[in-house]
Amino acid sequence: MLLTILAEGAGAGGPLQDPTFWVAVGVLVVFAIMLWTKVPKLVGGMLDNKIAEIKKTLDEAADLRKEAEALKAEYEAKTAGAQAEIEALMDSAEKEAAILVKEAEAETKALVARRKKMAEEKIGAAERSAIAAVRAKAATAATQAAESLIAARHDAAADKGLIDKAIGDIGKTLN
């Protein structure tokens, strides 16, 4: 392209009077200076450095992602373990509650049986006490009745005969 511009500019007044020629020479000089001072190599090095930084950042991001995924997996495992532990605790608590209910029922039955037995013993003791009281009153009443009958039917002569008979019976029973 540059050569095409130079060939066209060599027309009527010569190439040294054409401004396009001088622009083309200037561009060639700038390119030559750039090549001589190794600008493409510098730009390439800067681009390579930038590419290396981006690659390093991407590698770090990949490492962070791997760490995050590992942490996520670890927490999911812990969550699953905690859920299993919760279920085990719930099962254990339900079994323990069932055992406590059975024990409470057994203790309640035993308590009712003991209370029933105590009540029956109290009733039996009250019956025996009432029977003993009735017997004592009956004996007292019988004694008083016998005493009044004996006092009404016996006099001193009848008592003497009974006493003599009792004394005679003592002699017979002792021998």
Side-chain angles (χ1 to χ4, degrees):
M1 179 167 139
L2 188 58
L3 294 176
T4 309
I5 294 172
L6 288 175
E8 289 176 4
L16 295 177
Q17 292 182 355
D18 188 17
T20 312
F21 171 77
W22 290 111
V23 170
V25 171
V27 169
L28 284 175
V29 170
V30 168
F31 280 139
I33 292 172
M34 288 174 71
L35 288 174
W36 184 59
T37 58
K38 301 180 183 178
V39 170
K41 186 177 179 181
L42 291 174
V43 171
M46 288 175 27
L47 289 175
D48 287 343
N49 288 340
K50 192 66 171 174
I51 289 171
E53 287 178 21
I54 291 171
K55 186 175 181 181
K56 181 179 175 185
T57 304
L58 287 175
D59 290 343
E60 288 175 359
D63 290 343
L64 288 174
R65 182 177 181 156
K66 287 178 185 176
E67 288 179 25
E69 288 175 354
L71 285 174
K72 180 183 175 188
E74 180 182 341
Y75 284 117
E76 286 175 350
K78 284 183 180 180
T79 302
Q83 186 65 30
E85 187 175 334
I86 287 169
E87 290 174 4
L89 287 174
M90 289 296 289
D91 289 342
S92 174
E94 287 175 359
K95 288 176 184 175
E96 190 173 328
I99 290 170
L100 289 175
V101 166
K102 287 180 183 177
E103 288 177 356
E105 288 175 353
E107 288 177 9
T108 302
K109 287 179 182 177
L111 179 65
V112 168
R114 283 195 305 267
R115 295 272 173 103
K116 182 179 178 182
K117 184 177 178 183
M118 287 173 48
E120 288 173 353
E121 288 176 358
K122 283 184 180 180
I123 291 170
E127 285 176 354
R128 289 189 295 275
S129 175
I131 290 171
V134 168
R135 284 184 183 165
K137 286 196 180 207
T140 304
T143 305
Q144 289 175 351
E147 189 178 293
S148 50
L149 282 175
I150 291 174
R153 290 190 182 172
H154 289 279
D155 56 355
D159 286 342
K160 184 180 180 209
L162 285 173
I163 292 174
D164 288 339
K165 184 180 176 193
I167 292 174
D169 286 342
I170 291 176
K172 288 180 191 176
T173 50
L174 291 175
N175 289 330

